[in-house]
Structures are given as C-alpha cells and as structure tokens.
Amino acid sequence: MRNIVVVDAPSNLGLHPPAPGTVPGCYKLAGALREQRIVQRLHAKEGGVVVPPRYDRGDWQEGDGVFNAAALAAYTVELADRVEHHVRAGDLTVVLGGDCSVQLGATLALRRIGRYGLVALDASPDFRHPGSADGVGAAGGEEVALATGRGQKDLTDLEGLGPYLRDEDVRFFGIRDYFEEDRAELAALKIPVVTVGDLRAGDAGELARAAARSYAAPGLDGFWVHLDADVLDPAVMPAVDSPDPDGLQPAELLALLRPLLTSPHCVGLTVTIYDPDLDPDGTAGALLADTVVSAFAET
C-alpha cells in the first residue's frame, strides 16, 4: 500500500469574481473537506499547505490575456515543488484546491519527472485558448489548454518544459453531451472524451479501467486524476461556480473514480471548484468528501 499524502492548495487565482468586490470562495475547499475529516478517513499523511499569492486582478481588462498570470506562474512552480517531492517518494498525492488552475502545479511537477497523462472528470474540458470563440482570461477554465501548450508562454512554458502534457495523454470523463463545439474540437485533436451519455450507455467502471490500463503503455510513467466538483449534477452539487445541468450522480462518479484511484499507475488526485460559500449547511461538501474517501476503498 502506498502512502496517501494530502496537500492543501487553497488558490482561487484562476476564477472570475462571483460579484464585484468579492473573491471566489473555492479557496475554502480544503478547510471544508478537512472539517469532514478527510485526512483521517483516508489514513493519509500531512503534506502541508502551499499558500497562494493574494487575489488581485489589478487593472486587468478583457483582451489582456490571463488575469493573475504572474501570481499563477509563481504559485504553479511552488505547488509543483511540493507535488514533485511526494511523487518521487512514491506517495499518492491528494491536492485539495482551489480552482482548477491548481492542476498546472501537478502537471508541471510530473513533466519534470517524466511523461504522465491526465484523466479529467469535469463538466467541461477547460480548454479555452487564444483561438477559442470565447477567448481567455480565467485560467480555471483553461488549465488543460495551458498544460498542452495553448496560451501565453509565461504559463505554458514554465522552466522551458512546455507543454506539460501531450494531447494523446489526456482523457476526459463526464463532459456534458450538449457541449458540442468543445467535443468537436477535442475529437479533431484525437483527445478521447466520454460524455455523461456515453457513461450511461456503457459500463462506467470498465471505461475507467480501460483508461487506467492505457497508461501502462511503453513510454508512459502513469497518470494524474483531476476531479472538478461540477462533474456532478447541480441537484447534488450546487456549490460550484458553473452548475451545468445533466451531470453525474454520486454513484456514477464513484464508479469512475474507484478504478482510477486504485490503479497502480495513478500518482495523484486534485479536487477542485467546490465552494463552501455556496453550501451553507455543508451537505455538498460532505457528499464530496464521502465520494473521495469511498473511491480509495478497493472492493
């Protein structure tokens, strides 16, 4: 059994403010899941906290590129240092975000070590880039594009290691069926996408096992799992910044997560986007913690 190590990455640098004069509340995710005793329930070791820079978009305007870019770049390197240490030690690292931009810290760390893939469980592919119709700005909706080398160089080529991921090493699960333009772009790039409809038409567990096995191919060193809480349906997970309808139910997410996280090729997990400010009674946070804990339990 590998050691599980929990690292807090309470960054909200990659999201737009929910309202003028406010900041996104997802930086409280780690604290909320710790209140659910996630560290103890995972029998995990403490990996500490990587404290993010201050959220400050300054005089940023649309068209200026990714906001908070300098802070994001510095934080990505700092988080990568922490993740790299644990991956090299053979630990399975659980990073409690934060918004989805914390994924860049994990992918940069893995790029330093070798060639790794990414399995992203997300409502949308977070693939906005300068060529996208809706442009760029918030790295929390662009982290996979940035990690695959699409975007401004101060984020896509840190330490001269970009791209951190190859297109062919990325897998998406839980994308909403109605995101047709996103799916068409990814299909043209030959990036596999399994939508909610695909999962329900097949066997979620077997699809996840097949994805995990694909990272045993020669030349690959393993994979990381990225869990965006908005992959769940808003009826059970309303506490996210973009609650897109027709998402996964908890049992469906668990059927995906368990084969991935218990695979010997998996080296880590990021948990992102859950916002305790939108969950006053803590119900959604308890569900998220329960799901993650259950996913690590082999049946």
Side-chain angles (χ1 to χ4, degrees), residues 213-238:
R213 288 194 297 268
S214 72
Y215 292 107
L220 281 162
D221 297 297
F223 68 96
W224 188 279
V225 177
H226 174 68
L227 172 59
D228 183 328
D230 72 13
V231 76
L232 286 163
D233 191 86
V236 295
M237 179 51 69

mmCIF file of all heavy atoms in Angstrom, residues 213-238:
data_model
loop_
_atom_site.group_PDB
_atom_site.id
_atom_site.type_symbol
_atom_site.label_atom_id
_atom_site.label_comp_id
_atom_site.label_asym_id
_atom_site.label_seq_id
_atom_site.Cartn_x
_atom_site.Cartn_y
_atom_site.Cartn_z
ATOM 1 N N ARG A 213 -5.589 1.433 -17.751
ATOM 2 C CA ARG A 213 -4.676 0.484 -18.402
ATOM 3 C C ARG A 213 -3.909 1.127 -19.546
ATOM 4 O O ARG A 213 -2.767 0.738 -19.831
ATOM 5 C CB ARG A 213 -5.468 -0.722 -18.931
ATOM 6 C CG ARG A 213 -5.974 -1.663 -17.853
ATOM 7 C CD ARG A 213 -6.442 -2.979 -18.462
ATOM 8 N NE ARG A 213 -7.564 -2.803 -19.372
ATOM 9 C CZ ARG A 213 -8.850 -2.895 -19.012
ATOM 10 N NH1 ARG A 213 -9.162 -3.176 -17.751
ATOM 11 N NH2 ARG A 213 -9.809 -2.747 -19.909
ATOM 12 N N SER A 214 -4.514 2.121 -20.185
ATOM 13 C CA SER A 214 -3.842 2.753 -21.322
ATOM 14 C C SER A 214 -2.549 3.446 -20.910
ATOM 15 O O SER A 214 -1.652 3.645 -21.737
ATOM 16 C CB SER A 214 -4.781 3.759 -22.000
ATOM 17 O OG SER A 214 -4.975 4.929 -21.217
ATOM 18 N N TYR A 215 -2.427 3.794 -19.637
ATOM 19 C CA TYR A 215 -1.214 4.464 -19.162
ATOM 20 C C TYR A 215 -0.104 3.479 -18.786
ATOM 21 O O TYR A 215 0.954 3.890 -18.306
ATOM 22 C CB TYR A 215 -1.552 5.382 -17.986
ATOM 23 C CG TYR A 215 -2.401 6.552 -18.408
ATOM 24 C CD1 TYR A 215 -3.749 6.622 -18.070
ATOM 25 C CD2 TYR A 215 -1.861 7.575 -19.176
ATOM 26 C CE1 TYR A 215 -4.541 7.690 -18.464
ATOM 27 C CE2 TYR A 215 -2.643 8.653 -19.580
ATOM 28 C CZ TYR A 215 -3.981 8.702 -19.221
ATOM 29 O OH TYR A 215 -4.756 9.758 -19.628
ATOM 30 N N ALA A 216 -0.357 2.204 -19.014
ATOM 31 C CA ALA A 216 0.706 1.203 -18.841
ATOM 32 C C ALA A 216 1.509 1.024 -20.114
ATOM 33 O O ALA A 216 2.450 0.220 -20.147
ATOM 34 C CB ALA A 216 0.096 -0.134 -18.412
ATOM 35 N N ALA A 217 1.169 1.767 -21.156
ATOM 36 C CA ALA A 217 1.860 1.643 -22.448
ATOM 37 C C ALA A 217 3.322 2.058 -22.315
ATOM 38 O O ALA A 217 3.674 2.904 -21.480
ATOM 39 C CB ALA A 217 1.160 2.503 -23.492
ATOM 40 N N PRO A 218 4.197 1.477 -23.128
ATOM 41 C CA PRO A 218 5.617 1.853 -23.090
ATOM 42 C C PRO A 218 5.800 3.360 -23.300
ATOM 43 O O PRO A 218 5.131 3.975 -24.129
ATOM 44 C CB PRO A 218 6.210 1.053 -24.254
ATOM 45 C CG PRO A 218 5.291 -0.114 -24.429
ATOM 46 C CD PRO A 218 3.924 0.404 -24.104
ATOM 47 N N GLY A 219 6.696 3.939 -22.542
ATOM 48 C CA GLY A 219 6.982 5.359 -22.655
ATOM 49 C C GLY A 219 6.193 6.233 -21.704
ATOM 50 O O GLY A 219 6.508 7.416 -21.540
ATOM 51 N N LEU A 220 5.157 5.669 -21.084
ATOM 52 C CA LEU A 220 4.355 6.433 -20.132
ATOM 53 C C LEU A 220 4.707 6.020 -18.708
ATOM 54 O O LEU A 220 4.979 4.849 -18.441
ATOM 55 C CB LEU A 220 2.865 6.195 -20.378
ATOM 56 C CG LEU A 220 2.262 6.973 -21.551
ATOM 57 C CD1 LEU A 220 0.942 6.370 -21.980
ATOM 58 C CD2 LEU A 220 2.066 8.439 -21.164
ATOM 59 N N ASP A 221 4.693 6.989 -17.811
ATOM 60 C CA ASP A 221 5.068 6.729 -16.418
ATOM 61 C C ASP A 221 3.876 6.661 -15.474
ATOM 62 O O ASP A 221 4.050 6.322 -14.299
ATOM 63 C CB ASP A 221 6.031 7.821 -15.946
ATOM 64 C CG ASP A 221 7.331 7.797 -16.740
ATOM 65 O OD1 ASP A 221 8.050 6.792 -16.667
ATOM 66 O OD2 ASP A 221 7.604 8.791 -17.449
ATOM 67 N N GLY A 222 2.676 6.992 -15.954
ATOM 68 C CA GLY A 222 1.499 6.955 -15.102
ATOM 69 C C GLY A 222 0.563 8.094 -15.443
ATOM 70 O O GLY A 222 0.665 8.726 -16.493
ATOM 71 N N PHE A 223 -0.359 8.372 -14.533
ATOM 72 C CA PHE A 223 -1.340 9.431 -14.792
ATOM 73 C C PHE A 223 -1.803 10.063 -13.486
ATOM 74 O O PHE A 223 -1.643 9.509 -12.402
ATOM 75 C CB PHE A 223 -2.543 8.891 -15.569
ATOM 76 C CG PHE A 223 -3.413 7.918 -14.806
ATOM 77 C CD1 PHE A 223 -4.555 8.345 -14.144
ATOM 78 C CD2 PHE A 223 -3.092 6.563 -14.760
ATOM 79 C CE1 PHE A 223 -5.357 7.454 -13.443
ATOM 80 C CE2 PHE A 223 -3.896 5.662 -14.061
ATOM 81 C CZ PHE A 223 -5.029 6.108 -13.400
ATOM 82 N N TRP A 224 -2.386 11.236 -13.639
ATOM 83 C CA TRP A 224 -2.959 12.010 -12.540
ATOM 84 C C TRP A 224 -4.456 12.138 -12.802
ATOM 85 O O TRP A 224 -4.882 12.244 -13.953
ATOM 86 C CB TRP A 224 -2.316 13.388 -12.500
ATOM 87 C CG TRP A 224 -2.670 14.224 -11.303
ATOM 88 C CD1 TRP A 224 -3.801 14.963 -11.110
ATOM 89 C CD2 TRP A 224 -1.872 14.404 -10.135
ATOM 90 N NE1 TRP A 224 -3.768 15.593 -9.899
ATOM 91 C CE2 TRP A 224 -2.600 15.265 -9.277
ATOM 92 C CE3 TRP A 224 -0.627 13.938 -9.730
ATOM 93 C CZ2 TRP A 224 -2.114 15.673 -8.027
ATOM 94 C CZ3 TRP A 224 -0.145 14.338 -8.491
ATOM 95 C CH2 TRP A 224 -0.882 15.193 -7.659
ATOM 96 N N VAL A 225 -5.261 12.171 -11.746
ATOM 97 C CA VAL A 225 -6.705 12.352 -11.860
ATOM 98 C C VAL A 225 -7.070 13.757 -11.382
ATOM 99 O O VAL A 225 -6.640 14.189 -10.310
ATOM 100 C CB VAL A 225 -7.472 11.305 -11.033
ATOM 101 C CG1 VAL A 225 -8.983 11.559 -11.120
ATOM 102 C CG2 VAL A 225 -7.153 9.899 -11.524
ATOM 103 N N HIS A 226 -7.862 14.434 -12.190
ATOM 104 C CA HIS A 226 -8.350 15.765 -11.831
ATOM 105 C C HIS A 226 -9.861 15.689 -11.661
ATOM 106 O O HIS A 226 -10.585 15.326 -12.593
ATOM 107 C CB HIS A 226 -7.998 16.772 -12.925
ATOM 108 C CG HIS A 226 -8.594 18.131 -12.709
ATOM 109 N ND1 HIS A 226 -8.199 18.959 -11.688
ATOM 110 C CD2 HIS A 226 -9.572 18.806 -13.375
ATOM 111 C CE1 HIS A 226 -8.887 20.087 -11.748
ATOM 112 N NE2 HIS A 226 -9.734 20.013 -12.751
ATOM 113 N N LEU A 227 -10.354 16.016 -10.476
ATOM 114 C CA LEU A 227 -11.785 15.983 -10.177
ATOM 115 C C LEU A 227 -12.296 17.399 -9.953
ATOM 116 O O LEU A 227 -11.948 18.055 -8.967
ATOM 117 C CB LEU A 227 -12.043 15.134 -8.928
ATOM 118 C CG LEU A 227 -13.481 15.156 -8.378
ATOM 119 C CD1 LEU A 227 -14.486 14.678 -9.417
ATOM 120 C CD2 LEU A 227 -13.573 14.327 -7.102
ATOM 121 N N ASP A 228 -13.116 17.851 -10.883
ATOM 122 C CA ASP A 228 -13.822 19.117 -10.745
ATOM 123 C C ASP A 228 -15.208 18.777 -10.209
ATOM 124 O O ASP A 228 -15.947 18.002 -10.830
ATOM 125 C CB ASP A 228 -13.911 19.796 -12.109
ATOM 126 C CG ASP A 228 -14.568 21.164 -12.060
ATOM 127 O OD1 ASP A 228 -15.457 21.374 -11.217
ATOM 128 O OD2 ASP A 228 -14.221 22.022 -12.893
ATOM 129 N N ALA A 229 -15.578 19.352 -9.084
ATOM 130 C CA ALA A 229 -16.850 19.009 -8.441
ATOM 131 C C ALA A 229 -18.050 19.262 -9.338
ATOM 132 O O ALA A 229 -19.109 18.647 -9.149
ATOM 133 C CB ALA A 229 -17.000 19.782 -7.133
ATOM 134 N N ASP A 230 -17.901 20.131 -10.355
ATOM 135 C CA ASP A 230 -19.053 20.396 -11.220
ATOM 136 C C ASP A 230 -19.362 19.257 -12.188
ATOM 137 O O ASP A 230 -20.337 19.336 -12.938
ATOM 138 C CB ASP A 230 -18.911 21.727 -11.959
ATOM 139 C CG ASP A 230 -17.870 21.732 -13.071
ATOM 140 O OD1 ASP A 230 -17.390 20.664 -13.478
ATOM 141 O OD2 ASP A 230 -17.532 22.846 -13.535
ATOM 142 N N VAL A 231 -18.567 18.176 -12.158
ATOM 143 C CA VAL A 231 -18.922 16.995 -12.936
ATOM 144 C C VAL A 231 -20.216 16.382 -12.397
ATOM 145 O O VAL A 231 -20.952 15.709 -13.132
ATOM 146 C CB VAL A 231 -17.769 15.964 -12.941
ATOM 147 C CG1 VAL A 231 -17.687 15.222 -11.609
ATOM 148 C CG2 VAL A 231 -17.915 14.978 -14.101
ATOM 149 N N LEU A 232 -20.506 16.630 -11.126
ATOM 150 C CA LEU A 232 -21.752 16.163 -10.516
ATOM 151 C C LEU A 232 -22.922 17.054 -10.928
ATOM 152 O O LEU A 232 -22.757 18.245 -11.226
ATOM 153 C CB LEU A 232 -21.623 16.171 -8.995
ATOM 154 C CG LEU A 232 -20.760 15.063 -8.389
ATOM 155 C CD1 LEU A 232 -20.381 15.418 -6.962
ATOM 156 C CD2 LEU A 232 -21.471 13.715 -8.449
ATOM 157 N N ASP A 233 -24.103 16.478 -10.911
ATOM 158 C CA ASP A 233 -25.301 17.235 -11.251
ATOM 159 C C ASP A 233 -25.574 18.299 -10.186
ATOM 160 O O ASP A 233 -25.367 18.056 -8.985
ATOM 161 C CB ASP A 233 -26.488 16.283 -11.349
ATOM 162 C CG ASP A 233 -27.695 16.960 -11.966
ATOM 163 O OD1 ASP A 233 -27.796 16.971 -13.199
ATOM 164 O OD2 ASP A 233 -28.522 17.500 -11.203
ATOM 165 N N PRO A 234 -26.047 19.484 -10.597
ATOM 166 C CA PRO A 234 -26.322 20.541 -9.612
ATOM 167 C C PRO A 234 -27.349 20.168 -8.553
ATOM 168 O O PRO A 234 -27.375 20.776 -7.478
ATOM 169 C CB PRO A 234 -26.838 21.691 -10.481
ATOM 170 C CG PRO A 234 -26.275 21.449 -11.831
ATOM 171 C CD PRO A 234 -26.209 19.956 -11.982
ATOM 172 N N ALA A 235 -28.156 19.156 -8.817
ATOM 173 C CA ALA A 235 -29.125 18.731 -7.801
ATOM 174 C C ALA A 235 -28.427 18.195 -6.559
ATOM 175 O O ALA A 235 -28.967 18.290 -5.449
ATOM 176 C CB ALA A 235 -30.057 17.660 -8.377
ATOM 177 N N VAL A 236 -27.229 17.650 -6.737
ATOM 178 C CA VAL A 236 -26.473 17.124 -5.597
ATOM 179 C C VAL A 236 -25.226 17.947 -5.298
ATOM 180 O O VAL A 236 -24.676 17.862 -4.200
ATOM 181 C CB VAL A 236 -26.078 15.640 -5.816
ATOM 182 C CG1 VAL A 236 -27.311 14.765 -5.875
ATOM 183 C CG2 VAL A 236 -25.227 15.464 -7.076
ATOM 184 N N MET A 237 -24.774 18.749 -6.270
ATOM 185 C CA MET A 237 -23.588 19.579 -6.090
ATOM 186 C C MET A 237 -23.862 20.970 -6.674
ATOM 187 O O MET A 237 -23.385 21.331 -7.751
ATOM 188 C CB MET A 237 -22.369 18.946 -6.771
ATOM 189 C CG MET A 237 -21.063 19.760 -6.650
ATOM 190 S SD MET A 237 -20.607 20.285 -4.994
ATOM 191 C CE MET A 237 -20.191 18.716 -4.246
ATOM 192 N N PRO A 238 -24.655 21.771 -5.946
ATOM 193 C CA PRO A 238 -24.938 23.125 -6.428
ATOM 194 C C PRO A 238 -23.825 24.121 -6.120
ATOM 195 O O PRO A 238 -23.820 25.226 -6.663
ATOM 196 C CB PRO A 238 -26.216 23.485 -5.670
ATOM 197 C CG PRO A 238 -26.086 22.732 -4.376
ATOM 198 C CD PRO A 238 -25.407 21.430 -4.729
#
